[in-house]
């Protein structure tokens, strides 16, 4: 297939998802990175979907990006989630322009011309998720015309396949959080294969080790003002992916119910009232998820002036959708019964993968407290 145009990107995503679904069980069983899937994504221009048109990308907005993520996740969730980290990073820059224009153009050219895989790596074993705050322990110290980088990043999705990383660092031990571009071909860059999760195996979220890596001065993309950080709308790719998993589980369960007829019944089990009740419950959960996910995405796109006040809404969407997605997969497995636990049944893969959504940041406990604090703040303003 040729490089896609913006008018038909979603149709191409649907076709790719069908291909990815055929490979998903084997990739999961072997636990390797989905290289073939990413070759297909590269061939069809998916790595640059959220790069602005002025830099040669497709210029997709958040709403369109989430549609892509949901569709691809129906085929293979680890592939979609991994791609989403790159697309989301690029979308954030298109919206906020925190890097210089020259830096964004240079990174965009790496993606478009070289088909580079890039991820934003922030999590560290010492500090945990960046959503909980804290300055990185990874250090960037000036060394003549370079930065000398030492440290490590965990949960580095796509680690074995990345061409570049953008890692967060403590700049000159000053407690200033910087974002620096790392070429994985540089001496001192290595991957430590620590990823042994039973969920989202194919993301290959191993550790990135940086041992006295010398990086050119201009590869420090920007230094964050920790007192003036903006909500990250692109993190909605997380619930979009888990919604895709839930939809795939629903589809499998309904197809099974429409074709499975035990000898004790005169019709397939889809005619059984209890099965229909479970189908109805799945539909209600999926309806709720799509309504809140895409309504908030529409607001994000249509009202950029209000994005600074949307953090509670974004986090609420993540909480509701990921929990509902787990509910849908559970209901699908109850319809299929013990067969859903067979290694040959995709539902057991969906069950393991969808669980990861509860642990992607921000986690449920952090969201509940943040939403509560926002409600209390709003009450004090009204009073």
């Amino acid at each position: 297939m040729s490089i896609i145009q913006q008018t038909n990107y979603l149709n191409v995503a649907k076709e790719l998802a069908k291909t990815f679904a055929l490979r998903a069980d084997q990739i999961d069983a072997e636990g390797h990175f989905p290289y073939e899937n990413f070759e297909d994504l590269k061939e069809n221009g998916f790595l640059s979907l959220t790069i602005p048109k002025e830099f040669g990308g497709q210029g997709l907005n958040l709403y369109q990006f989430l549609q892509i993520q949901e569709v691809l996740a129906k085929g293979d969730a680890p592939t979609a989630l991994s791609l989403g980290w790159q697309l989301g990073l690029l979308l954030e820059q298109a919206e906020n322009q925190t890097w210089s224009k020259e830096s964004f153009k240079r990174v965009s050219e790496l993606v478009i011309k070289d088909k580079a895989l890039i991820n934003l790596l922030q999590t560290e074993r010492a500090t945990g998720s960046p959503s909980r705050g804290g300055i990185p322990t990874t250090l960037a110290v000036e060394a003549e015309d370079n930065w000398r980088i030492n440290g490590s990043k965990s949960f580095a999705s796509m680690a074995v396949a990345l061409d570049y990383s953008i890692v967060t660092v403590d700049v000159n031990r000053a407690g200033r959080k910087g974002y620096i571009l790392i070429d994985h071909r540089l001496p001192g860059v290595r991957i430590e294969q620590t990823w042994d999760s039973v969920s989202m195996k194919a993301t290959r979220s191993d550790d990135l080790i940086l041992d006295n890596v010398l990086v050119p001065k201009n590869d420090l993309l920007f230094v964050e003002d920790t007192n003036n950080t903006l909500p990250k709308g692109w993190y909605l790719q997380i619930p979009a992916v888990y919604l895709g998993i839930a939809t795939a589980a629903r589809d499998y369960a309904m197809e099974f119910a429409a074709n499975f007829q035990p000898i004790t019944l005169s019709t397939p089990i889809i005619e059984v009232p209890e099965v229909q009740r479970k189908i109805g419950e799945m539909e209600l959960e999926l309806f709720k998820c799509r309504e809140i996910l895409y309504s908030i995405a529409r607001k994000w796109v249509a009202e950029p002036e209000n994005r600074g006040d949307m953090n509670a809404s974004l986090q609420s969407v993540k909480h509701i959708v990921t929990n509902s997605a787990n509910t849908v997969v559970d209901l699908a497995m109850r319809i299929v019964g013990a067969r859903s636990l067979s290694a040959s049944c995709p539902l057991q893969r969906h069950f393991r993968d969808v669980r990861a959504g509860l642990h992607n940041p921000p986690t449920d406990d952090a969201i509940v407290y943040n939403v509560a604090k926002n409600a209390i703040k709003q009450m004090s303003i009204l009073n």
Side-chain angles (χ1 to χ4, degrees):
M1 289 180 281
S2 61
I3 298 299
I4 65 170
Q5 301 299 314
Q6 188 166 341
T7 53
N8 71 340
Y9 67 88
L10 197 55
N11 289 332
V12 177
K14 291 176 181 177
E15 292 304 311
L16 288 175
K18 293 176 184 177
T19 300
F20 296 170
L22 297 175
R23 301 170 180 159
D25 284 335
Q26 183 176 354
I27 289 172
D28 175 76
E30 296 174 356
H32 64 70
F33 185 77
Y35 290 102
E36 286 182 277
N37 292 353
F38 272 84
E39 285 304 312
D40 289 340
L41 292 168
K42 290 177 182 181
E43 181 184 340
N44 287 279
F46 271 65
L47 300 190
S48 59
L49 285 178
T50 54
I51 291 176
K53 290 183 178 180
E54 67 173 304
F55 293 152
Q58 296 293 326
L60 267 60
N61 61 34
L62 178 65
Y63 186 94
Q64 296 165 320
F65 167 45
L66 299 184
Q67 287 181 304
I68 286 284
Q69 292 303 96
E70 182 187 352
V71 168
L72 291 178
K74 284 185 64 178
D76 185 59
T79 296
L81 189 67
S82 297
L83 173 68
W85 298 132
Q86 173 159 331
L87 294 183
L89 164 69
L90 297 169
L91 177 60
E92 181 178 15
Q93 286 312 305
E95 293 176 339
N96 297 341
Q97 301 175 11
T98 51
W99 309 347
S100 69
K101 186 172 183 178
E102 292 73 21
S103 292
F104 191 23
K105 182 178 180 181
R106 182 160 62 95
V107 172
S108 297
E109 286 177 349
L110 292 174
V111 174
I112 293 170
K113 293 182 179 180
D114 300 339
K115 295 182 172 58
L117 283 181
I118 303 175
N119 196 2
L120 172 63
L121 305 183
Q122 303 186 79
T123 303
E124 299 178 349
R125 295 192 181 278
T127 59
S129 167
S131 67
R132 295 185 183 274
I135 298 298
T137 62
T138 301
L139 294 175
V141 179
E142 286 184 272
E144 297 183 352
D145 294 330
N146 298 297
W147 294 101
R148 186 181 300 277
I149 315 297
N150 281 284
S152 63
K153 297 295 178 180
S154 56
F155 296 100
S157 294
M158 305 190 286
V160 296
L162 288 175
D163 300 296
Y164 299 86
S165 297
I166 296 172
V167 303
T168 51
V169 294
D170 181 350
V171 180
N172 279 328
R173 296 188 176 91
R176 298 164 64 229
K177 185 178 181 180
Y179 292 72
I180 196 162
L181 182 68
I182 304 290
D183 185 334
H184 280 218
R185 295 169 295 185
L186 290 173
V189 179
R190 64 183 175 86
I191 304 302
E192 189 173 303
Q193 296 194 11
T194 56
W195 187 240
D196 62 355
S197 175
V198 299
S199 180
M200 289 289 189
K201 288 184 184 180
T203 62
R204 292 308 312 168
S205 300
D206 295 304
D207 286 7
L208 174 71
I209 310 299
L210 304 168
D211 184 10
N212 282 313
V213 180
L214 290 176
V215 177
K217 274 284 185 69
N218 65 352
D219 282 348
L220 179 63
L221 300 175
F222 82 108
V223 178
E224 183 177 83
D225 180 355
T226 55
N227 295 316
N228 188 33
T229 56
L230 295 171
K232 297 183 183 295
W234 70 270
Y235 272 22
L236 289 183
Q237 82 112 350
I238 295 170
V241 165
Y242 294 100
L243 177 57
I245 296 173
T247 304
R250 184 277 312 271
D251 290 352
Y252 182 89
M254 288 190 65
E255 183 176 355
F256 175 87
N259 291 283
F260 178 62
Q261 181 178 333
I263 60 172
T264 54
L265 295 178
S266 59
T267 64
I269 63 169
I270 201 166
E271 300 295 334
V272 175
E274 179 58 22
V275 171
Q276 292 183 354
R277 184 182 68 82
K278 288 183 172 63
I279 291 172
E281 290 179 355
M282 288 193 296
E283 291 302 299
L284 289 172
E285 293 292 340
L286 292 173
F287 177 80
K288 174 178 66 177
C289 289
R290 288 201 178 89
E291 286 299 304
I292 65 166
L293 174 64
Y294 289 109
S295 66
I296 295 300
R298 279 192 293 268
K299 182 177 180 181
W300 180 271
V301 172
E303 303 175 24
E305 69 280 5
N306 294 324
R307 289 173 183 171
D309 298 322
M310 290 182 65
N311 199 46
S313 296
L314 296 171
Q315 293 193 13
S316 297
V317 172
K318 192 271 178 177
H319 186 290
I320 293 168
V321 174
T322 53
N323 279 276
S324 286
N326 275 267
T327 298
V328 171
V329 174
D330 179 72
L331 287 165
M333 295 181 78
R334 290 173 186 270
I335 289 172
V336 175
R339 291 174 177 83
S340 65
L341 297 174
S342 170
S344 63
C345 179
L347 282 183
Q348 54 81 24
R349 171 168 49 85
H350 298 326
F351 174 75
R352 288 182 286 107
D353 284 347
V354 80
R355 188 74 189 176
L358 303 178
H359 305 288
N360 283 126
T363 53
D364 284 1
D365 59 332
I367 292 172
V368 169
Y369 281 110
N370 288 339
V371 170
K373 289 176 182 176
N374 183 71
I376 293 168
K377 178 182 177 181
Q378 294 301 316
M379 182 181 69
S380 63
I381 292 173
L382 292 174
N383 291 339

